[in-house]
């Protein structure tokens, strides 16, 4: 028994119905996105905090060995990951730098290279020799 499937009508959605649903979903996403941006920025700032705490540990180790803090990231053994702005293989959202260092103190900073919520403000975090981690510029 051979059936003619070409003439038989199958129940399905029309292209117009599918497009209307996609437009409605798109509008709902656009309405929800501004409320989610602070959460996205907060999640991304975790990277800065972790990197600065790692740098703090490296600086303390360097201090115990040499009796001074260093201003050179390579000197303390910190390797800056490739930034997202440096090409397709970049993953780091923050540029890490040591602002100042002496025999008694240091100050390190993580500056975002991406404006997470597109408001023109880049997120900045700092840590000092006493492990005081603070957000200098919120995004």
């Amino acid at each position: 028994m051979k059936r003619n499937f070409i003439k038989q009508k199958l129940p399905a959605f029309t292209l117009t119905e599918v497009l209307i649903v996609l437009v409605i979903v798109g509008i709902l996403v656009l309405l929800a996105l501004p409320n989610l941006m602070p959460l996205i920025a907060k999640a991304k700032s975790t990277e800065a905090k972790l990197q600065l705490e790692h740098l703090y540990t490296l600086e303390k180790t360097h201090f115990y060995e040499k009796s001074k803090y260093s201003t050179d990231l390579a000197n303390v053994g910190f390797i800056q990951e490739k930034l997202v702005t440096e090409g397709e293989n970049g993953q780091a959202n923050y540029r890490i730098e040591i602002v100042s260092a002496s025999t008694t103190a240091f100050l390190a900073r993580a500056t975002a290279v991406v404006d997470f919520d597109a408001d023109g403000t880049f997120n900045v975090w700092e840590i000092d020799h006493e492990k005081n981690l603070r957000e200098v510029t919120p995004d």
Side-chain angles (χ1 to χ4, degrees), residues 8 16 19 40 42 61 64 93 95 102 109 123-124 136:
Q8 186 179 4
T16 307
L19 288 176
I40 293 169
K42 185 176 180 182
T61 303
Y64 294 142
N93 292 304
R95 177 175 287 111
S102 67
R109 182 177 295 144
N123 191 224
V124 179
V136 178

Side-chain angles (χ1 to χ4, degrees), residues 1-2 10 25 29 41 45 47 61 67 86 88 90 125 131 138:
M1 183 173 177
K2 200 175 195 184
L10 297 174
V25 168
V29 167
S45 69
E47 175 190 339
T61 303
S67 297
E86 293 177 347
E88 63 185 47
W125 287 82
K131 204 173 184 179

Side-chain angles (χ1 to χ4, degrees), residues 2-17:
K2 200 175 195 184
R3 290 188 181 179
N4 193 357
F5 287 109
I6 296 174
K7 293 182 180 176
Q8 186 179 4
K9 199 170 191 180
L10 297 174
F13 295 107
T14 65
L15 180 61
T16 307
E17 292 169 333

Side-chain angles (χ1 to χ4, degrees), residues 23-41 116-117:
V23 167
I24 291 171
V25 168
I27 290 171
L28 291 175
V29 167
L30 287 175
L31 291 174
L33 195 60
N35 295 333
L36 296 175
M37 291 311 282
L39 295 175
I40 293 169
F116 302 122
D117 58 3

